[in-house]
Amino acid sequence: MSSRRYHHGDLRKALIQAARAAVESGGPDAVSLRDLAQSLQVSTAAPYRHFTDRAALLAEVAADGFEELGQAYALAQANNSDPRVAARETARAYLGLAFQHPGLFRLMFTSDILGPGAPPRLVDAAASSWEGLHRSVAATMPGADVADIKRRTLTGWSTLYGFISLVQGGRIRAFMTEPLTEAELLEAVLDKALGES
Amino acid sequence: MSSRRYHHGDLRKALIQAARAAVESGGPDAVSLRDLAQSLQVSTAAPYRHFTDRAALLAEVAADGFEELGQAYALAQANNSDPRVAARETARAYLGLAFQHPGLFRLMFTSDILGPGAPPRLVDAAASSWEGLHRSVAATMPGADVADIKRRTLTGWSTLYGFISLVQGGRIRAFMTEPLTEAELLEAVLDKALGES
DNA sequence: GGTTTATGTAAGCGTCGTCAACATAAGACC
DNA sequence: GGTCTTATGTTGACGACGCTTACATAAACC
């Protein structure tokens, strides 16, 4: 019925969806504009009517990811009145994204999509998600100096992010042969990330 | 004089050197076999006489990096008899590689060069450099359980690696506007990475 | 000196991102 | 309702890339 309309309907949205699916299944490098176009029954040049280039499309996908992450943070904090528990659940939300959507996570945090020239929507969404982390740490340090809160947030975030990246990059697998399970390690990482100092 | 010899002399070594230079100046993605071949005055197919594919060449560069890193660890430990100091200097050696050779660091720790199918020399060199970290942590925990030492090594390493990656990926720059300098943050990261828990 | 082997070249395949020139459909205006 | 404008498609191409196959040359070895 809808065979070969000249106009697609909402190609822009369809491209974002397809790009996200590709990112989730194979990471940022698995996204080929030509592939996406072909799978949507559209010519290879069609995507350029909606995105200036490949990076712009991926930026849109990444921005969506940051917005969802920010919402997950907000939820974790709304559901837990104890700031320590809320902070731990916020960290868990970050780990949840990483382990449930590794490809998207990689696009958001490991690709160079957020370099100079990144579109404002992406920059804003990324900054806003950062604010969620900062807020959760601040709640556990009432009356503390802003610089101290930032330091704690950054070092804690570094611990989480580093562990995830090392695991997903296969850099750790070789060294967990002993009685060290991933789940157990994860709790140790949470402890370290949220610990004082 | 040496104009246009048919045989290059030592193309294999020249390719590794050129690839390393390219990696250091622009990261793993900046390495194009065609570019390297052209800059060495050699046909585009010549590199395939020495490396099965692009990944094999990059693996060689990465393996060199891991070996140098292992030597830097060993030096830091040989020069400091106090285990705590030695551990901190070992961590500094890791940060040194990251900040002085960011492109090489990215190849070694953030690219997918160390996935399944990585050549033995690379796997061995990476494992050996890991041993250097493990050794330095173990020295600060005499009589401790092996699992505990591993946990501490991994979480500490995660903190270091995560911070470096976030900084180099430009994810942190936006959040250091306040009275937070990079050097200061670096000491805080070292404290956290080497701290107990 | 002749043969084998290592190392180079030439030409081409398929993929990719991207662009310019053109075609068509949808919506606005009279 | 017909016309004009604009949004959104298509076709065909360019240049760069990794990689391969078939052939050429030089070095090494007996």
Side-chain angles (χ1 to χ4, degrees):
Chain A
M1 285 314 190
S2 71
S3 63
R4 291 308 202 141
R5 290 198 311 273
Y6 193 92
H7 280 78
H8 177 279
D10 196 347
L11 181 56
R12 183 188 158 85
K13 186 183 256 177
L15 279 167
I16 294 177
Q17 280 178 358
R20 169 142 183 180
V23 163
E24 300 230 9
S25 79
D29 294 347
V31 175
S32 150
L33 286 196
R34 297 181 98 106
D35 273 2
L36 298 184
Q38 192 172 18
S39 79
L40 295 174
Q41 314 256 42
V42 131
S43 81
T44 57
Y48 291 89
R49 293 290 162 195
H50 302 276
F51 303 95
T52 67
D53 56 14
R54 200 185 94 108
L57 171 55
L58 288 179
E60 216 65 28
V61 174
D64 287 350
F66 278 112
E67 285 183 359
E68 293 167 24
L69 182 59
Q71 289 166 13
Y73 289 164
L75 199 69
Q77 291 160 30
N79 286 347
N80 296 279
S81 53
D82 180 347
R84 317 273 292 195
V85 176
R88 200 173 181 95
E89 289 307 307
T90 301
R92 259 189 229 283
Y94 186 69
L95 294 170
L97 170 71
F99 285 102
Q100 285 158 34
H101 307 281
L104 180 60
F105 181 85
R106 193 174 161 93
L107 169 67
M108 291 163 63
F109 292 100
T110 303
S111 81
D112 50 3
I113 202 78
L114 215 107
R121 195 197 148 212
L122 172 57
V123 174
D124 289 351
S128 163
S129 90
W130 148 262
E131 295 294 342
L133 283 181
H134 185 261
R135 202 184 327 121
S136 90
V137 172
T140 67
M141 302 170 67
D145 198 53
V146 178
D148 283 340
I149 299 174
K150 280 197 172 187
R151 236 191 310 271
R152 270 266 270 286
T153 308
L154 284 172
T155 57
W157 185 23
S158 293
T159 304
L160 292 179
Y161 172 69
F163 177 72
I164 293 161
S165 300
L166 289 173
V167 167
Q168 292 187 354
R171 260 77 177 173
I172 278 183
R173 213 169 304 145
F175 318 125
M176 317 193 353
T177 49
E178 293 296 281
L180 223 48
T181 75
E182 194 165 297
E184 187 196 0
L185 255 180
L186 220 142
E187 294 304 316
V189 167
L190 276 171
D191 287 340
K192 190 179 189 79
L194 300 170
E196 36 234 81
S197 97
Chain B
M1 295 314 176
S2 69
S3 64
R4 293 309 204 137
R5 291 198 311 274
Y6 192 92
H7 280 79
H8 177 278
D10 196 345
L11 181 55
R12 181 187 159 84
K13 185 182 256 178
L15 280 167
I16 294 177
Q17 280 178 359
R20 170 142 182 180
V23 163
E24 299 228 11
S25 78
D29 294 347
V31 175
S32 149
L33 287 196
R34 296 179 100 107
D35 271 3
L36 298 184
Q38 193 172 19
S39 79
L40 295 174
Q41 313 257 40
V42 131
S43 80
T44 58
Y48 293 89
R49 293 290 162 194
H50 302 276
F51 302 95
T52 67
D53 56 14
R54 200 185 94 108
L57 170 56
L58 289 179
E60 216 65 29
V61 174
D64 287 349
F66 278 113
E67 286 183 359
E68 293 166 24
L69 182 59
Q71 289 166 12
Y73 289 164
L75 199 69
Q77 290 160 32
N79 286 346
N80 296 281
S81 53
D82 180 347
R84 315 274 291 197
V85 176
R88 200 171 180 98
E89 289 306 307
T90 301
R92 260 188 229 283
Y94 186 69
L95 294 171
L97 170 70
F99 285 103
Q100 284 158 34
H101 307 281
L104 180 60
F105 182 86
R106 193 174 161 95
L107 169 67
M108 291 163 64
F109 292 101
T110 303
S111 81
D112 51 3
I113 203 78
L114 216 109
R121 198 201 146 209
L122 172 58
V123 173
D124 289 351
S128 164
S129 88
W130 148 263
E131 294 294 342
L133 284 181
H134 185 261
R135 200 184 329 120
S136 89
V137 172
T140 66
M141 304 170 66
D145 199 51
V146 178
D148 284 340
I149 299 174
K150 280 195 172 188
R151 236 191 310 270
R152 271 267 270 284
T153 308
L154 284 172
T155 56
W157 186 21
S158 293
T159 304
L160 292 178
Y161 171 68
F163 177 71
I164 294 161
S165 301
L166 289 173
V167 168
Q168 293 188 354
R171 261 77 179 171
I172 278 184
R173 213 167 305 147
F175 318 126
M176 314 193 353
T177 49
E178 292 297 282
L180 223 47
T181 75
E182 194 165 298
E184 188 196 1
L185 253 179
L186 220 142
E187 294 305 315
V189 167
L190 275 171
D191 287 340
K192 188 178 189 81
L194 299 169
E196 35 235 78
S197 99

